[in-house]
Amino acid sequence: MRDALDATPYDALLLLSFGGPEGPDDVVPFLENVTRGRGIPKERLKEVGQHYFLFGGVSPINDQNRALLDALRKDFADHGLGLPIYWGNRNWAPYLTDTLREMVVDGHRRILVLATSAYASYSGCRQYRENLAESLAALEAEGLELPKIDKLRHYFNHSGFLEPMVDGVIASLAELPEDVRDGAHIAFSTHSIPTASADTSGPVEGHGEGGAYVAQHLEVSRLIADAVRERTGVDHPWQLVYQSRSGAPHIPWLEPDICDHLEERHASGVPAVVIAPIGFVSDHMEVLYDLDTEAKAKAEELGLPMRRSATVGDDPRFAAAVRDLVLERAAVERGQEVTPCALGALGAGHNVCPVGCCPARAPKPAAAGVDSPYV
């Protein structure tokens, strides 16, 4: 972690997340926001919303963002970093445009953005940048002075993101019955996306089968598995798996699905499984439903001992990693030489998204990139 607590030229940090409903009446309007422009009937949205209704219509993501916001503010204050932190969502209150308006009115003109997505992909990076551009366009139409916005680089291989997950896997292994513990398989799980989106994730020169999305998740899986082996002395077999598939069935998505994987591992004689949701910053709805509900039920049906390890959430090490990323980016903007924290072979990602990085099917303006209309 960096010692010089100088965040200039930045004057504020924006925590940018997906958002989620906070009551039964919010579910359909929230899903309408998520699927805007796709023409999905309200009755279909009610069907999709059953996952939320099982939990009282409340997604845990907003409370988890509040906890992360508190952790970040505490970490910054404890270390003397006087950078105000705001929070805005893409699809539910507090809405991104409202938060950016508040920041501008408060006088902020150089804003750093932390997205609650650690990896490269359209939905995990460029779509956030498109939403930022939409909000800036709305503020411009209101006659407000626009701030300059930069986005923090992908942090999948930062130690402060990895270390809590390593501890989570080790704790989950320890919870398994002793007679199956050493033979346990680790299923590293992330959100499935269309293979076409995966193949074009990351910069153009890296496009190909799986693109940066799969490569980054494989790297995180390997780093965690290696750390678990070093700390426990046991070399657990592992595989990257996927969850939360949606959309038309004829469109190829990344596989294998977690429930299919559990069936395959059980058939192969694996005595136990730990599921590690490495693709998610916090235990939001897709973790609670797809893993803690569906995958858990599948494991119980198979008689397969299973534990699910924790996400990073508001772990103080993650808050410290965000501070480190802020100071790193600030130093780069000031023209200083920096050594980024990036474990493994892939190195630190780009600070500014290049043209063609994680492209959309229908091109839209995106902020905080080389092709941004807002410089």
Side-chain angles (χ1 to χ4, degrees), residues 295-310:
K296 180 182 178 182
K298 174 58 68 175
E300 289 174 349
E301 173 192 322
L302 296 169
L304 179 66
M306 185 271 280
R307 298 293 184 274
R308 197 267 290 175
S309 66

Side-chain angles (χ1 to χ4, degrees), residues 137-159:
L139 298 187
E140 186 175 42
E142 296 172 12
L144 293 174
E145 182 180 351
L146 298 187
K148 184 179 187 304
I149 291 180
D150 292 323
K151 180 178 174 292
L152 289 172
R153 65 175 174 88
H154 301 131
Y155 46 85
F156 64 93
N157 55 0
H158 194 290
S159 60

Side-chain angles (χ1 to χ4, degrees), residues 115-139:
T116 54
S117 175
Y119 303 86
S121 70
Y122 170 73
S123 57
C125 185
R126 185 175 178 89
Q127 194 169 16
Y128 282 94
R129 295 174 50 224
E130 290 176 354
N131 293 142
L132 284 165
E134 291 169 0
S135 293
L136 288 171
L139 298 187

Side-chain angles (χ1 to χ4, degrees), residues 29-294:
F30 162 73
L31 292 173
E32 287 175 333
N33 288 340
V34 174
T35 61
R36 188 183 296 113
R38 301 183 202 171
I40 299 177
K42 184 170 288 189
E43 290 307 310
R44 173 58 181 151
L45 294 180
K46 289 180 181 178
E47 294 175 17
V48 174
Q50 291 307 311
H51 296 180
Y52 292 94
F53 293 127
L54 286 174
F55 296 89
V58 179
S59 168
I61 192 170
N62 279 353
D63 277 345
Q64 290 168 2
N65 280 325
R66 293 182 183 103
L68 177 56
L69 195 64
D70 288 343
L72 292 171
R73 287 172 173 164
K74 181 180 187 303
D75 179 90
F76 283 22
D78 288 349
H79 292 86
L81 181 57
L83 194 71
I85 310 173
Y86 294 73
W87 168 39
N89 289 325
R90 290 170 45 191
N91 299 298
W92 202 249
Y95 287 104
L96 171 58
T97 301
D98 295 335
T99 299
L100 275 180
R101 183 185 299 109
E102 179 186 359
M103 297 176 81
V104 169
V105 170
D106 288 348
H108 299 297
R109 297 296 180 268
R110 289 296 304 272
I111 297 171
L112 260 179
V113 175
L114 167 69
T116 54
S117 175
Y119 303 86
S121 70
Y122 170 73
S123 57
C125 185
R126 185 175 178 89
Q127 194 169 16
Y128 282 94
R129 295 174 50 224
E130 290 176 354
N131 293 142
L132 284 165
E134 291 169 0
S135 293
L136 288 171
L139 298 187
E140 186 175 42
E142 296 172 12
L144 293 174
E145 182 180 351
L146 298 187
K148 184 179 187 304
I149 291 180
D150 292 323
K151 180 178 174 292
L152 289 172
R153 65 175 174 88
H154 301 131
Y155 46 85
F156 64 93
N157 55 0
H158 194 290
S159 60
F161 183 67
L162 289 167
E163 288 169 1
M165 292 191 291
V166 172
D167 287 351
V169 171
I170 291 174
S172 293
L173 287 167
E175 293 173 1
L176 288 169
E178 189 174 356
D179 60 333
V180 299
R181 187 178 304 152
D182 286 353
H185 170 86
I186 305 174
F188 293 106
S189 186
T190 191
H191 204 301
S192 184
I193 61 175
T195 56
S197 294
D199 294 346
T200 56
S201 59
V204 172
E205 61 271 16
H207 289 177
E209 188 174 356
Y213 187 75
V214 171
Q216 291 170 0
H217 281 90
L218 286 172
E219 179 76 339
V220 167
S221 301
R222 183 186 64 78
L223 287 167
I224 294 174
D226 287 351
V228 169
R229 182 183 65 250
E230 290 170 6
R231 297 188 196 180
T232 66
V234 180
D235 190 5
H236 291 274
W238 61 268
Q239 186 171 338
L240 177 63
V241 301
Y242 301 92
Q243 62 180 87
S244 313
R245 189 200 194 286
S246 61
H250 68 279
I251 297 175
W253 283 54
L254 293 173
E255 296 178 336
D257 173 77
I258 177 60
C259 289
D260 294 340
H261 181 69
L262 291 177
E263 289 186 342
E264 293 167 359
R265 294 299 87 202
H266 178 256
S268 72
V270 164
V273 172
V274 166
I275 301 176
I278 61 171
F280 309 91
V281 171
S282 62
D283 288 7
H284 57 60
M285 182 56 67
E286 286 168 321
V287 174
L288 292 186
Y289 184 79
D290 296 325
L291 299 184
D292 293 353
T293 305
E294 282 197 327

